[in-house]
Amino acid sequence: MEHKNYNAINKSVRKKDAMQLLLGKPVYTEDVVPDDALVVKLLRSPHANAIVSEINTKAAKLVPGVVDIYTWEDVPNNRFTNAGQTYPEASPYDRLIIDRHVRFVGDVVAIVAAENEKAADKALKLIKVKYEVLEAVLDFRTAKDSKLLVHPEDNWVAPCEVGGSNLRNLVASEESSNGDVDGIMADCDIVLDRTYHTKAYNQAMMETFRTYTSMDRYGRLHVISSTQIVFHVRRILSHALGIPKTMIRVEKPRIGGGFGAKQTAVSEVYPAFVTYKTGRPAMIIFSREESQIAGSPRHEMEVRVRLGASKEGKIRVLDLYTLSNSGAYGEHGPTTVGLSGHKSIPMYTGSLEAFRFNYDVVYTNTMAAGAYRGYGATQGIFALETTVNELAEKLGMDPTEIRYKNMLKEGMVMPAYYNELASACALDRCLDHCKEIFDWDSKYPVRDMGNGKVRTAGMGMAMQGSCISNLDVGSATVKLTEDGTFMLLIGAADMGTGCDTILAQMVAECMDCSVDDVAVFGADTDASPYDSGSYASSTTYITGKAVEKACMELKTKMCTIAAGLLNCSVEEVYFENGLLKRINTDESVSVKDIGVKAQLNNPQIAEASASHSSPVSPPPYMVGMVEIELDKLTGEVSIIDFMSVVDCGIPINPALARIQAEGGIVQGIGHTLMENITYSPEGKPYESSFMQYKLPTRLDMGKLRVEFEHSFEPTGPFGAKSIGEIVINTPAPAIAHAIYRATGVWHREIPITPERIAMSKPEQN
């Protein structure tokens, strides 16, 4: 592992936007909207599957203040996808701005544009709609090859082959394997065959979906949106509206949380269409109910795990099958599902002789799923890690020991992870560190606390990725100003994670300056260099490397300018401690001198742009351990202590990395114990507000502790890997394990609610 005394890296620097946010400055989408913007509201379907046979908007259009109302008859017939993904687009083109065929409760039937909210709300109530109600596909286990089709249309388009077919209710499917899975399974001493079910959890970000649109002074569509994907939004709107990308500009202000929800263009197309039709500014703000019933939640998945092992605890073979519910539309369906196997199976590379991973992604008449932190790995890791914990319990072996026997270690090639090399892997050290600080040996045994309460512990480990290899592109432009400070332009979207700050730290490290001497601008499709966007844990790893490359190029250009000032060849100039020096002399010029000279009779521009893409996606690793107290009478679970140790390479900003980890752990706790999405027999979601959709608060967290084990990733900027997603993946298996220890019951569906615990009985072996 490489060590270095950094100037700005591995330092807990204050966030660039900290003071503006603390002082309540106008920084979010709603803050920048002018008072004269039209209010856009959506009429939504009350049926899970229906055809609009008749719609009457006459009375609604007469409401004072209503500008216009649009239905399926008014929009282009261009199929598109809302998924914010790089080419080749894996998600099918299966949407229209408004479709006559509505496919879930909450699907859009009409768009209302009004001068004010009161008029828009009144108009919504006066629109008369007659529906031809169709039988709905609500059970994702029976959706594949059902005679009922969610997408029977003949203009459904798959931009690339992912094994999907709308005539089979299939968004995607694939089979992959390595080695003699069935033969080795038959030769194993122990075979566990278990099926797990995870729900369609909502991101529940505090700022709901929202977008403002207007026509700029050049007649172009200007979009300001709370989004993670400005460049993908531009492409999506171009497809949906049928206008060139050159006629669209997309930018994002501060984002009040995304967690993947805003990697899908959930709200953008509606005000964009209104502005395109009327020429007037327009704004849509989703209510909390709309975000809950028509957002882009995690994919519901059922994961079947078959694990074959020796009686000594060697895991010889793994066979996973994942069934994923994409809901009414296919956004992110083909891509999330792969992570359920490819980010879980490789953790056991140390002992694995063979593996198989197959999956199907299906359409149903439920809310369309999308991206959520963890992106499919969360579901697969819950399933596999819980199975490994069960194996340990069956063998009477400590679950930490069974992992030491089987886990991936640095230098191993991972056949189940596209044959990538684990070039920086501190997973074993994470386990050592976590076990010691958590005091595993004392907390793992079940302890009777009296009053029907017991305490015990459980664990899980996880891996993720640092980008989408061979696809993601990160870019950066670094400019030198005449006062010797720097301007950083990026297309990555800071979602509150602090990427503006982290990337500025990288500039400061490269240019030997203070982080305060680096201003950051982004993300804006007109001004920012192209970036895939903030998702797939790629910003620090991919965009960070682009920043590093741009700084190196800028140094070269600065040396050229300095050579002219020093009257020497460029080969004689080098950069050191913020000065441009001439070798073997005391002569030097300052960065400020270069900035001034760049604007005076100078042919060499003092700025540089660079892009970066990676052929690999080095995984971060994590071990999580939880201590719970469980009330056997009520089934209530209290988190006493959650300890995690993360290997994200070299943390660029340890404070921000720690906050990332703590936030992800809390979300994982919520998924495991309380968050739920359920539907009525007619397909209507029950959890339409935070009264029904329960989220963990500070009182539900217990003590959270996060530590780091450093590794040095040679392909990452300054040895860094990602941290954004992995941190959500260990709570579910760790808590499920602890609940088993306390009750003798394995719960293979989450959330594990108190009533389920109280009413369950130990399995008979």
Side-chain angles (χ1 to χ4, degrees), residues 34 41 136 155 173 299 305 475 492 536 573 582 713 727:
K41 296 240 174 178
N155 59 348
S173 62
H299 286 75
V305 179
S475 301
V573 180
R582 184 177 180 181
E713 173 49 51
V727 292

Side-chain angles (χ1 to χ4, degrees), residues 567-578:
N567 295 312
C568 65
S569 68
V570 70
E571 289 77 18
E572 295 179 78
V573 180
Y574 65 100
F575 186 100
E576 184 179 76
N577 296 327

Side-chain angles (χ1 to χ4, degrees), residues 230-257:
V230 291
F231 285 96
H232 295 330
V233 166
R234 183 177 65 175
R235 182 184 72 239
I236 290 164
L237 292 179
S238 173
H239 286 169
L241 298 173
I243 61 177
K245 296 180 184 67
T246 53
M247 296 302 294
I248 304 170
R249 174 190 178 190
V250 182
E251 62 172 312
K252 69 99 201 164
R254 294 289 95 183
I255 300 176

Side-chain angles (χ1 to χ4, degrees), residues 383-703:
L384 180 53
E385 285 297 276
T386 303
T387 308
V388 172
N389 284 332
E390 183 174 351
L391 175 66
E393 297 290 347
K394 279 188 175 295
L395 293 173
M397 186 179 293
D398 189 295
T400 62
E401 294 306 313
I402 205 163
R403 285 172 172 83
Y404 284 126
K405 282 177 176 284
N406 296 285
M407 68 164 50
L408 171 71
K409 292 187 173 65
E410 191 165 283
M412 291 182 178
V413 174
M414 299 173 279
Y417 192 62
Y418 314 106
N419 288 307
E420 285 192 20
L421 174 70
S423 55
C425 176
L427 184 56
D428 50 352
R429 287 188 280 117
C430 288
L431 183 52
D432 290 338
H433 190 164
C434 197
K435 186 176 180 180
E436 178 184 352
I437 295 181
F438 181 76
D439 194 13
W440 172 262
D441 292 337
S442 296
K443 292 180 178 177
Y444 179 57
V446 180
R447 288 150 285 142
D448 191 334
M449 308 303 291
N451 244 6
K453 296 181 179 181
V454 295
R455 288 192 181 186
T456 186
M459 71 156 296
M461 63 185 194
M463 62 177 279
Q464 193 77 36
S466 292
C467 67
I468 305 173
S469 57
N470 297 303
L471 278 179
D472 282 344
V473 173
S475 301
T477 296
V478 184
K479 299 181 178 182
L480 174 64
T481 67
E482 69 269 28
D483 64 356
T485 59
F486 297 90
M487 184 78 205
L488 171 64
L489 282 70
I490 56 172
D494 193 325
M495 296 180 281
T497 54
C499 80
D500 287 0
T501 308
I502 288 164
L503 297 173
Q505 286 179 254
M506 295 183 187
V507 174
E509 184 66 37
C510 291
M511 308 310 293
D512 290 325
C513 67
S514 164
V515 177
D516 291 336
D517 289 336
V518 183
V520 184
F521 174 83
D524 184 327
T525 56
D526 271 14
S528 302
Y530 176 79
D531 196 287
S532 299
S534 295
Y535 60 88
S537 299
S538 62
T539 305
T540 295
Y541 176 72
I542 291 288
T543 308
K545 198 68 177 178
V547 168
E548 192 178 22
K549 289 163 71 172
C551 287
M552 295 306 104
E553 184 180 335
L554 178 56
K555 281 183 179 179
T556 300
K557 292 181 176 181
M558 290 167 64
C559 286
T560 301
I561 297 171
L565 288 172
L566 294 169
N567 295 312
C568 65
S569 68
V570 70
E571 289 77 18
E572 295 179 78
V573 180
Y574 65 100
F575 186 100
E576 184 179 76
N577 296 327
L579 294 173
L580 285 300
K581 299 180 179 180
R582 184 177 180 181
I583 58 173
N584 301 322
T585 72
D586 293 331
E587 297 177 78
S588 68
V589 291
S590 69
V591 171
K592 184 176 179 180
D593 294 333
I594 302 299
V596 172
K597 175 59 179 172
Q599 299 183 359
L600 296 168
N601 188 27
N602 174 61
Q604 177 64 68
I605 189 168
E607 67 179 66
S609 297
S611 285
H612 182 67
S613 193
S614 177
V616 295
S617 177
Y621 305 95
M622 177 182 182
V623 171
M625 293 179 175
V626 67
E627 180 186 17
I628 68 166
E629 181 172 277
L630 186 144
D631 187 323
K632 289 191 171 184
L633 179 63
T634 65
E636 181 183 6
V637 174
S638 300
I639 305 296
I640 305 300
D641 186 14
F642 198 105
M643 179 72 217
S644 66
V645 179
V646 185
D647 162 23
C648 60
I650 302 296
I652 303 299
N653 188 316
L656 294 180
R658 182 168 282 107
I659 291 167
Q660 282 272 60
E662 290 172 351
I665 289 166
V666 172
Q667 287 178 311
I669 290 170
H671 292 178
T672 310
L673 294 179
M674 61 191 73
E675 294 180 51
N676 203 1
I677 289 183
T678 57
Y679 288 90
S680 73
E682 296 75 35
K684 182 178 180 180
Y686 286 123
E687 292 77 21
S688 59
S689 78
F690 287 161
M691 290 294 290
Q692 298 90 13
Y693 190 80
K694 303 299 183 183
L695 294 167
T697 71
R698 183 65 188 89
L699 299 177
D700 301 302
M701 298 178 198
K703 181 165 65 173

